[in-house]
Amino acid sequence: MRKVITYGTFDLFHEGHHNLLQRAKALGDYLIVGVTTDHFDEARGKINVVDSCLERVESVRKSGLADEIIIEDHAGQKMEDIQKYNVDIFTVGSDWVGTFDYLNKFCQVVYLDRTPDISSTMLRSSHFKIVRVGIVGTGRIAVRFMAEEKFVSGMNIVSAFNPETDSGNMFHKKYGIKIYSGDYGEFLDGVDAVYIASPNETHYEYAKNAIKAGKHVLCENPIALDRQGAVELLELAEERGIVLLEGIKTAYCPGFQQLINTARSGQIGEIRDIEACFTRLADPNSRECTDAQFGGAFLEYAAYTLLPVFKLYGTNYKDVEIHSITREDGLDSYTKIDLVYDQGMATAKCGVGVKTEGQLVISGSKGYILAESPWWLTRKFKIRYEDPNKVESFEPKFQGDGLRYEMSEFVARINKIDRNKYLLTPEEAIAMSEITEMFMKERKSRKKKE
Ligand code: C2G
């Protein structure tokens, strides 16, 4: 008797799961299905799971495809089970290709093609849809988005759009998803939501057209290069009951929220100064280092460095000054934004051609918070006081490269789970676009003077 084993979360049970179990069963005579516990999913970084462990076990049972159902609750269990149940074949979907090759020592490992386009759950009772997401742009961050998708339950990337066919074709070859390069409307017809990861200057139009077509939008920052554009997009989305989320991933990371709440708790007293730095010496041929009009340090990192300022002081700054080190073509290799509020001051520093300490320092009347680089992922931070021996350290949970948290919030908001709207408010998004507009005006006036 050939025994087959497979594992999964099986959340919001859908055709993809059903197809996988059907083909897994066909590989042998007896199929064992391991269903993950909530705790194990959390430990392995799978988020946004809606159904409880028992509901997910019941979904698998009702499929009628499992000869035996077990619970997967810890890393390394797969190896134990394969030996314990004398398994001949381990199988899992192709989104995991390579991940489980190490099981080859114990049994045959088979990766089955995942089902490309799923949209509805097979659970009559579930009011959650599987969100079909299309990616606009097929560059570096789109690649990272694809890698994070399998850790976010309730969504499925079904297509991508890029007018540049060679980039799109490479993406198709790598991921096998459908690529559109011509009609944006045709691309929109096949999705429920879009993730916009195209060049900065194209975000506004892509977002506006998607919202008008009734599609939810997760857009890399900046959503717009001026205040009016941001206001217009937010109002349009609000009117149509469409989710519009700006992809500043730090805003959705659990550690960053913990850091902000700690700063607000009064533990460091009154906050009087904030210094946020984010520099990364970019590849000289990269867009951020070559596009004098829409590249440069500010457009790449200002939103991240302004985020803690707006979170802690709000958006009613009294004064703001922007200073840049620019090249002849006007591209800013380093930009400093100085803000003054009634209660304190702040400096946000960004660089693509200048390297500095990438820290976040929140200075207060009783002590200060120090989050070292990469503070924008907020994997750790500490509170220091006058007494050098008194230090409190924090190491919040953080998995993957951070995109899964904004993806999870996006799917939750589409499913009308609105409890986390505070993570990045419309006021904060508008304030960021306001300062972006100032920066773009200064960039233009500098070019005129030359
Ligand atoms: N699957 C699929 N097609 C989809 C979605 C999922 O074939 N459109 C497959 C996955 O590849 C997996 C199984 O269905 O083999 C269950 O998917 P999930 O519930 O998302 O489980 P996953 O997080 O992929 O866990 O340790 C757990 C396993 O490694 C798989």
Side-chain angles (χ1 to χ4, degrees):
M1 173 165 76
R2 283 164 68 80
K3 280 188 163 183
V4 182
I5 198 165
T6 189
Y7 297 80
T9 303
F10 300 106
D11 188 40
L12 299 172
F13 199 80
H14 53 66
E15 311 97 284
H17 299 140
H18 192 270
N19 296 347
L20 190 285
L21 293 180
Q22 214 154 30
R23 286 171 297 149
K25 190 164 181 66
L27 292 174
D29 313 301
Y30 187 87
L31 175 63
I32 303 170
V33 180
V35 179
T36 53
T37 60
D38 298 357
H39 179 79
F40 179 51
D41 274 339
E42 189 182 332
R44 72 188 181 104
K46 176 98 177 193
I47 52 181
N48 207 45
V49 177
V50 175
D51 297 334
S52 71
C53 179
L54 288 182
E55 285 167 331
R56 296 183 280 110
V57 166
E58 183 55 14
S59 301
V60 173
R61 192 193 62 74
K62 272 199 272 187
S63 76
L65 293 160
D67 296 296
E68 185 173 355
I69 298 176
I70 60 172
I71 294 296
E72 181 181 33
D73 67 1
H74 65 278
Q77 182 182 327
K78 293 181 173 76
M79 227 180 303
E80 298 154 15
D81 291 344
I82 287 166
Q83 297 172 83
K84 190 160 70 174
Y85 295 101
N86 208 3
V87 166
D88 302 292
I89 299 172
F90 164 86
T91 187
V92 74
S94 55
D95 41 339
W96 295 95
V97 71
T99 311
F100 300 106
D101 293 356
Y102 69 92
L103 295 173
N104 265 315
K105 286 194 286 296
F106 305 98
C107 68
Q108 192 188 347
V109 174
V110 175
Y111 295 103
L112 296 167
D113 285 348
R114 69 181 273 125
T115 305
D117 186 352
I118 44 151
S119 56
S120 61
T121 69
M122 297 171 81
L123 305 173
R124 243 68 52 214
S125 59
S126 171
H127 59 289
F128 287 111
K129 270 172 55 77
I130 305 296
V131 179
R132 290 175 305 156
V133 178
I135 300 182
V136 181
T138 51
R140 288 168 295 173
I141 190 142
V143 168
R144 288 170 45 205
F145 199 81
M146 289 300 290
E148 288 274 288
E149 179 212 16
K150 57 180 173 287
F151 290 100
V152 180
S153 196
M155 65 174 276
N156 191 46
I157 299 172
V158 295
S159 62
F161 177 84
N162 189 337
E164 285 171 35
T165 45
D166 49 356
S167 172
N169 292 340
M170 261 154 47
F171 203 76
H172 172 73
K173 243 205 265 7
K174 187 175 167 99
Y175 299 107
I177 60 169
K178 192 166 170 41
I179 299 289
Y180 293 82
S181 59
D183 181 340
Y184 187 57
E186 193 190 333
F187 159 72
L188 291 176
D189 289 346
V191 299
D192 306 311
V194 293
Y195 168 60
I196 299 174
S198 53
N200 292 330
E201 67 278 14
T202 63
H203 291 177
Y204 169 79
E205 277 307 318
Y206 278 135
K208 188 172 173 182
N209 292 333
I211 294 168
K212 282 183 166 172
K215 308 301 176 184
H216 303 290
V217 173
L218 171 59
C219 182
E220 274 303 311
N221 75 80
I223 51 174
L225 295 173
D226 57 32
R227 186 184 195 287
Q228 179 49 34
V231 170
E232 189 190 332
L233 289 180
L234 288 161
E235 284 175 355
L236 193 61
E238 186 70 25
E239 267 160 39
R240 296 169 186 235
I242 290 291
V243 173
L244 168 60
L245 226 51
E246 187 163 11
I248 304 173
K249 67 174 187 280
T250 305
Y252 307 96
C253 287
F256 182 72
Q257 295 155 43
Q258 187 183 346
L259 181 152
I260 294 297
N261 295 338
T262 304
R264 282 180 179 149
S265 71
Q267 271 180 269
I268 59 169
E270 298 299 318
I271 298 172
R272 295 294 181 232
D273 190 22
I274 299 169
E275 182 191 12
C277 313
F278 191 162
T279 65
R280 184 180 285 153
L281 294 179
D283 172 342
N285 302 319
S286 64
R287 182 183 39 75
E288 56 266 36
C289 278
T290 52
D291 182 349
Q293 208 182 354
F294 300 111
F298 180 98
L299 288 180
E300 203 61 24
Y301 300 122
Y304 291 93
T305 56
L306 288 170
L307 187 67
V309 180
F310 292 153
K311 283 292 172 201
L312 294 170
Y313 284 151
T315 55
N316 294 324
Y317 49 83
K318 279 170 54 188
D319 186 33
V320 61
E321 276 191 47
I322 304 174
H323 305 282
S324 294
I325 304 284
T326 56
R327 298 185 324 200
E328 302 77 64
D329 60 3
L331 185 136
D332 61 312
S333 55
Y334 187 69
T335 288
K336 243 171 40 159
I337 308 157
D338 290 314
L339 301 103
V340 177
Y341 287 77
D342 286 329
Q343 70 271 43
M345 55 187 87
T347 301
K349 302 178 189 174
C350 348
V352 291
V354 174
K355 190 74 194 153
T356 182
E357 182 54 50
Q359 62 187 14
L360 168 59
V361 183
I362 303 168
S363 311
S365 56
K366 289 184 189 161
Y368 67 94
I369 289 176
L370 168 64
E372 291 169 347
S373 168
W375 61 267
W376 47 90
L377 302 181
T378 326
R379 282 194 279 245
K380 57 176 185 278
F381 64 92
K382 51 183 75 150
I383 305 182
R384 289 197 177 142
Y385 300 92
E386 187 50 50
D387 172 358
N389 301 314
K390 191 179 162 207
V391 181
E392 288 172 70
S393 296
F394 302 82
E395 298 224 1
K397 172 173 63 74
F398 178 87
Q399 278 138 338
D401 79 352
L403 283 175
R404 67 185 69 177
Y405 299 109
E406 70 185 43
M407 295 159 84
S408 166
E409 177 58 20
F410 187 42
V411 172
R413 293 273 278 278
I414 291 169
N415 283 316
K416 305 261 182 283
I417 300 170
D418 283 343
R419 59 175 171 257
N420 293 333
K421 279 195 159 177
Y422 67 91
L423 294 177
L424 184 65
T425 65
E427 295 69 29
E428 289 158 351
I430 290 168
M432 279 178 196
S433 56
E434 201 168 72
I435 295 188
T436 302
E437 182 172 354
M438 288 178 203
F439 170 78
M440 295 304 278
K441 276 189 181 138
E442 288 190 15
R443 172 174 269 183
K444 252 191 223 116
S445 65
R446 258 201 306 272
K447 280 193 81 64
K448 280 208 191 87
K449 273 186 217 133
E450 278 149 20

